């Protein structure tokens, strides 16, 4: 999704340019890495991109839980759900 070469900025500079950085992240659609002593400590990301990331993580978690349920044979097949709810 993102290029590993995102913009980096030290905390001290970010403190003075926060509003500008938020707008730049929104405009470019790219995250901005905030660093302290050369190590990333935070990331500024557009809220729509954040929502997509969280949605993707939720989907991954749902698939993982379904795989576990299938492995344990602890699920109801979709055809049975549709029949029970008279969706057919």
């Amino acid at each position: 999704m993102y290029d590993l070469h995102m913009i980096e900025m030290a905390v001290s500079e970010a403190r003075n340019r926060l509003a500008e950085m938020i707008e730049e992240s929104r405009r470019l659609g790219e995250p901005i890495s905030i660093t302290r002593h050369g190590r990333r400590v935070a990331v500024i990301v557009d809220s729509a991109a954040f929502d997509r990331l969280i949605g993707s993580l939720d989907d991954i978690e749902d698939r993982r839980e379904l795989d576990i349920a299938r492995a344990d044979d602890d699920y109801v097949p979709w055809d049975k759900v549709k029949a029970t709810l008279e969706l057919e």
Side-chain angles (χ1 to χ4, degrees), residues 23-37:
E23 184 55 37
E24 186 169 350
S25 179
R26 290 184 70 224
R27 183 176 53 80
L28 297 175
E30 293 289 330
I32 298 175
S33 178
I34 308 300
T35 61
R36 179 180 290 134
H37 305 294

Side-chain angles (χ1 to χ4, degrees), residues 1-2 7 10 23-24 54-55 60 67 79 86:
M1 174 184 235
Y2 291 118
I7 298 170
E23 184 55 37
E24 186 169 350
I54 294 301
I60 290 168
D67 289 343
D79 290 338
E86 300 178 355

